[in-house]
Amino acid sequence: MFKRVFWLTVGMAIGFATSLWMYRALRQTLARYRPEQVADTVARSLHGLREDVRSALAEGREAMRRAEADLRSELRSG
């Protein structure tokens, strides 16, 4: 009889702990997808994209200037 009560208690404790864990995980997931959170995430992503594009354009312009300078120096010397 003691074994049955013990395992019943263990099973109930595991079930209770699992349900609390799932409840917390679900609440965190739902909080992540609230409209305010999604808007903040999109805004941060767009800001990062804008900075990446600016950086890429600056690198492209610098590479273009270097290539043009190399071509002009080759034309002058050759």
Side-chain angles (χ1 to χ4, degrees):
M1 178 73 174
F2 179 72
K3 281 185 175 180
R4 288 183 184 175
V5 171
F6 173 75
W7 287 114
L8 176 68
T9 306
V10 168
M12 288 174 57
I14 290 172
F16 182 71
T18 303
S19 67
L20 282 179
W21 179 75
M22 289 297 294
Y23 177 74
R24 287 180 56 205
L26 180 64
R27 285 184 56 87
Q28 288 175 351
T29 302
L30 289 175
R32 205 176 326 147
Y33 292 107
R34 285 191 180 135
E36 304 88 27
Q37 295 292 353
V38 172
D40 289 344
T41 303
V42 169
R44 272 187 261 123
S45 295
L46 289 177
H47 180 71
L49 178 65
R50 182 177 67 195
E51 294 302 318
D52 289 346
V53 168
R54 283 183 182 174
S55 175
L57 286 173
E59 287 179 25
R61 287 182 188 128
E62 182 60 33
M64 180 182 64
R65 287 183 187 120
R66 273 187 267 127
E68 185 177 355
D70 290 345
L71 289 172
R72 288 185 187 271
S73 69
E74 285 180 22
L75 282 175
R76 287 185 198 135
S77 65

